[in-house]
Amino acid sequence: MQQHSKSMEEFLAMNEKKDLLRFSTAGSIDDGKSTLIGRLLHDSKSVYEDQISSVRKASREKESDEQIDFALLTDGLKAEREQMITIDVAYRYFSTPRRKFIIADTPGHEQYTRNMATGASTANLAVVLVDAKGGIKPQTKRHAFISSLLGVPHIVLAVNKMDLVGYDQSVFEAIKSEFSYFAGRLGVQDVRFIPISALKGDNVVTRSARMPWYTGETLLELLETVYIGSDFNLVDMRFPVQYVLRPNQQFRGYAGQVASGIIRKGDEVLVLPSMKTSRVKSIVGFDGELEEAFPPMSTAVTLEDEIDVSRGDMLVHRHNQPKTHRRFEAMMVWMSESPLDHGKSYFFKHTTKVARFRFDEVRYRVDVNTLNRMPGGTMGLNEIGRVVCTSTTPIFCDPYSRNRATGSFVVIDPISNNTVGAGMIIEREPSDELPNRIETVVSEKDGLHLRRSLVAPSDRAARWGQKPVTVWFTGLVGAGKTRIAYGVERRLFEKGAVCLVLDGENMRLGLSRELGFTAEGRAEHLRRVAETARLANEAGMIVLCAFVSPEAALRAQVAEIVGGDRFLECHVSAPIEWCEARDESGLYSKARSGEISHFAGVNFPYEAPVDPDVVLRTVSTDSEECVSLVLDLLRDRGFFPCAG
Amino acid sequence: MPADNRGHFNAMNEGSMMNRRTMTHLRQLEAESIFIMREVVAEFERPVMLYSVGKDSSVMVRLAQKAFHPQKLPFPLLHVDTGYKFKEMYEFRDNFVKEIGADLIVHKHADAGRVSPYEYGTQKCCAILKTQALLQALRNGNYDAAFGGARREEEKSRAKERVYSFRDEFGQWDPKNQRPELWSLYNARVNRNESIRVFPLSNWTELDVWQYIYMENIPVVPMYFARERDVIVRDGQIIPLDGPIPLRKGEKPERMLCRFRTLGCYPCTGAVCSPARSVADIIEEMMTIRVSERSTRVIDHDAEGSMETKKKEGYF
């Protein structure tokens, strides 16, 4: 082997250190998606010369233009080349010195919702394309909805064909604001906007001189730098056993891929469903033993004790177990020509387990263009709905929003063997089974009866020109909840509304002053907040509550106390790094040093709302704009008439 | 064979990777491929691994060793031999299989030796000696799942291939009727006589494969490395004179420093003019040359979309 220059060795070393970003692309037929991908591949120099010349050959038959038709680089199958449409998910690859990229290129055609779901299922990020000239179409919203349904953490709206609108900033801003509102309703955590022209190359790989008003990143810069380190769940250890390795009588290894969390040598583990416990003796592989394994590693573990473990079982930590359910609810994408059949027994595959199950009920279907709910019944091809299922054996699952690996399943038709549905498990249980419970000390059956007020709600609404509602701002410390809540109060007051702000400070200093931060203390604190809000609502006021409230289960119970029809959940969302950086209270450093416990995001999990009424992204949206979004929400839901 | 080229850089990377609890792209690809192989072995009765002697096969076998360590490979390797492979490939194959202790099945079509691309044309020759022979071998062995080293990046029609590619009882692929494949939940249900082809390297690129060979120090056929060879230049392709190749009028053998990017049958596999003598050289070269891998295969160019046509008939 010959000597290589230092730079070559450095290059190889750097190349081995690259990480991986999987993203999906979706767009309507004329949004220029294939052109965009062709442009990314071409400008990042991932397209080889002979592929370009074969495309030149193919485009010549179609048109005389010598310009390369980038779309032909990506449209693979003969059939679709003839029909001029992309008909199936296609995977493309390219890399830059920083990252390797896998693109799931999904067709935008109406009947191919299933392909879009397929592409989104493994994506860290979704690029949704919109034609600047045509503006946001129903399909754009559908793409964003499916991406959010499949739990894609980052969405980029690429406003394409800016060249056709004269690179006009106002066109971009109008599309941005319309989409922001919609994305807020979807509860997507991270949305970015980039004005581009795929055809001319503006802001795709290189910065455009024709849009000096845009100072953000190019699409490729964004793809290279978007932070994906927290996309894997490192908290809840789940190790589904895939295969038992038995080379001889002495060795029994359980092979599998770590679905989430960290498994360490010496850990006490619980085997589901047998509930037997043992310790991890070793984590073994071809390259030697490991001290620990984390997702998405494929590895094998041996246990101290000889206990019976087989494929389909799951190793977990005793203090952090998944739910064990035979009956569960899920969002379902139906992917078969034959509609969902209630009488039929289907197979499902969940982690490494295959079992029989049936559908008990379709609670509702979702109109993917308007997000409106439609009556259930059954589901047809490319429909999305919420279902209740019962399985013949218990499954060990987490909500999909928390754990993609243990929250997802596919449905298989027992006759055709086709994959006919994709399910995402939702956490929903009767509130008396919830682990963190708000205890109701006094209830009507103890002899206390609520007297009816002589003032009717409609009288109060007529007097004050508003309907009572509780807006619940949840989010990390430092995300900006309280600032926004008081901003909304000020704006509402100016427009003549009557309102009240409840926040951690004014409650903890008074009404809840004796309560601590234990699980019971937090539950009781929120119960008092909820009851206060309810009383103020009954007096006709609009109540703005700003509380970290990291536990989804407790928020659900607060909503129950206040009354679900007058409760709006508002997620004030910002990355923890950002919150921590602007924290002046010193709470984060105290939490980091362990001085404070139960601190959301540091030593206590923050469970983001699955389906909030609005998401306020304080990193990219200034607080005045956030306030306006809340006022718009109040107007749209009929609580207060003035727009923000 | 390349010398041990694992420098201190590698050790350092792996160390820092562990601390940050994130995995590099190669380790993620490796984990995905191992997961796929274990799923197949757990859910199918009679899996087999197609072994073509090339670099992708070498990587696939290494991943299989990792997937089932410390057990031996739970399936045999199957080489569909056209009889037109290069001498170095046969030598390498036999040594490699012996060294790792794998079971090898070699299958040749009954007409091998009688059919040649010169009389039948490349399409037909390939259809008989590769596609038909493969289907025969799978039928003979009653295999219900066959691993192949194909990658989606290689060719446009492969970009839409599933990891589990379903085949009917005639081994045929229907691009319009593929099962949706979400997350890593692979649907393994097939009827009797139906089978699947499995592509554990689906998401790997040619560069990933070489990078992994470099990192893991995996042995590959020395034909990938440059040396002086006797060749003829025909229709823009550099054809090595490794077997009895009938010369056309006016063709003159010449000596050239060249190597192979893909290994196929000697009448149809072109070499590339290259001085790359090691894995690191090859990677360096890949960063500068801009010709895609399969362009040195004569057969792919025969007609627009020819790979797709072959695949519908049962080719890998």
Side-chain angles (χ1 to χ4, degrees), chain A residues 412-451:
Chain A
I412 300 164
D413 186 289
I415 310 292
S416 71
N417 289 333
N418 259 328
T419 305
V420 295
M424 287 136 283
I425 294 167
I426 300 173
E427 177 139 58
R428 191 188 179 281
E429 286 175 275
S431 55
D432 52 322
E433 283 178 23
L434 291 173
N436 267 326
R437 173 107 190 97
I438 294 181
E439 297 296 339
T440 312
V441 184
V442 183
S443 67
E444 294 197 18
K445 62 176 181 286
D446 295 325
L448 281 168
H449 296 280
L450 294 171
R451 286 188 186 275

Side-chain angles (χ1 to χ4, degrees), chain A residues 15 49 80-81 93 100, chain B residues 160 203 208 211 290 304:
Chain A
N15 209 34
E49 295 293 351
E80 74 189 66
R81 204 178 293 173
Y93 305 85
K100 168 176 168 124
Chain B
K160 305 195 170 187
N203 287 325
D208 295 330
Q211 190 82 53
R290 316 255 1 113
E304 259 298 89

